[in-house]
Amino acid sequence: MLFLRLFYEFFKTGLFAVGGGMATIPFLYNMADATGWFTRNDVANMIAVGESTPGPIGVNMATYVGYVAGSGEGGLPFAILGAAVATLGLITPSVIVILII
């Protein structure tokens, strides 16, 4: 159930956050309040680390949230699966739009 919720939350974020990684920040604040997977302070840390690491900031933050949420469920295998599911949830709407075009 956790992985389905992760995919759903990040699918919504990827679908409606038009404008790049910084557009995902309000969605992450709402997700922090609704799910409890991370705190609002963690969002600030994710922004700092996401800006300093290579790659899109939205994908970096989705991967981190999935990793943290999955590790709370059952250790490293669930953490890696959570990171993959959250990342796929974020990029799936873009892939669908590109395929339609």
Side-chain angles (χ1 to χ4, degrees):
M1 188 67 173
L2 169 73
F3 299 118
L4 184 62
R5 179 113 189 252
L6 267 172
F7 185 85
Y8 172 71
E9 292 291 335
F10 281 102
F11 186 86
K12 285 190 316 187
T13 302
L15 187 62
F16 297 115
V18 177
M22 288 302 190
T24 63
I25 293 171
F27 291 95
L28 288 172
Y29 280 124
N30 290 336
M31 195 183 308
D33 295 336
T35 63
W37 292 328
F38 53 95
T39 64
R40 287 179 162 258
N41 190 28
D42 289 338
V43 174
N45 291 334
M46 284 190 280
I47 293 168
V49 171
E51 284 289 335
S52 64
T53 56
I57 187 170
V59 172
N60 290 343
M61 289 192 281
T63 305
Y64 175 75
V65 170
Y67 185 86
V68 169
S71 66
E73 287 294 312
L76 185 62
F78 285 100
I80 293 170
L81 183 59
V85 166
T87 303
L88 284 174
L90 186 72
I91 65 170
T92 299
S94 300
V95 170
I96 291 171
V97 168
I98 294 300
L99 289 175
I100 290 172
I101 292 173

